[in-house]
Amino acid sequence: MQVLGIDPGTLCTGFALLTWDGSVGRVVELGYWRPSCTRWVDRIRDLYDAVEAWLQGYGPDAVAVEAPFVHPRYPRSGLRVEHVLSVVVTALARNGYTWTEYPASVVRRSVVGAGHADKSAVRRYLYALLPETRRWAHMPDDAFDALAVAYCHSLAVLSPPVGRR
């Protein structure tokens, strides 16, 4: 099973493709989409084109997206991230994909064990859980956040429900 994780952001949108063979996970692709233009409308268009091209090239089995957090003191930033999320999910929908959204606290809890963990802790745990990720150490946090989203979704889908028989 191949799981695509996406971390939407206004300047950089991270993505990660994680494949599973039984209980062994392997990172296939880790990166980010960073539009080169500065006008908002051009950045949105470029992001849509990049996501669509990527989906057509890789064809993941499942997609998970980190839900934006809107800080009450900075609502405008949160709205911009919502715009980015809308562009991403539009590209997903137009290409026939469904997706699952996870709040950052759920993603961090699934990787680190604590929902309030910082980005460096998430990265360290991903290095331990998926050792080959060290080769992408130069990637921005957005890419590792996307990998954490893919890992979180993988656990939710591949793990048997607790307490059920």
Side-chain angles (χ1 to χ4, degrees):
M1 179 166 117
Q2 289 191 324
V3 179
L4 170 62
I6 300 175
D7 176 39
T10 55
L11 298 176
C12 181
T13 295
F15 67 86
L17 185 63
L18 188 57
T19 188
W20 290 90
D21 183 15
S23 63
V24 178
R26 185 177 61 82
V27 179
V28 176
E29 188 76 27
L30 185 66
Y32 57 93
W33 296 297
R34 181 175 286 163
S36 59
C37 38
T38 56
R39 284 186 13 182
W40 183 246
V41 68
D42 295 333
R43 286 166 46 191
I44 291 295
R45 184 198 61 239
D46 286 356
L47 177 61
Y48 179 87
D49 292 344
V51 173
E52 188 169 59
W54 195 93
L55 289 170
Q56 291 170 359
Y58 282 93
D61 300 311
V63 182
V65 180
E66 186 171 289
F69 171 74
V70 180
H71 194 284
R73 292 180 67 189
Y74 309 104
R76 184 173 167 87
S77 296
L79 289 174
R80 289 284 177 134
V81 176
E82 287 284 349
H83 289 170
V84 171
L85 175 62
S86 296
V87 168
V88 168
V89 298
T90 299
L92 291 169
R94 289 197 54 134
N95 285 275
Y97 289 94
T98 59
W99 61 92
T100 305
E101 283 187 41
Y102 295 97
S105 60
V106 171
V107 171
R108 292 174 181 175
R109 190 176 317 118
S110 73
V111 175
V112 179
H116 62 278
D118 63 14
K119 291 179 181 286
S120 64
V122 171
R123 189 181 281 241
R124 283 193 314 273
Y125 272 79
L126 287 170
Y127 285 158
L129 294 166
L130 304 162
E132 78 277 4
T133 57
R134 290 185 184 277
R135 75 180 195 165
W136 285 290
H138 64 282
M139 287 288 175
D141 286 337
D142 304 276
F144 279 88
D145 288 348
L147 180 57
V149 172
Y151 187 84
C152 172
H153 187 67
S154 299
L155 291 180
V157 171
L158 298 173
S159 297
V162 177
R164 294 188 188 161
R165 295 181 188 225

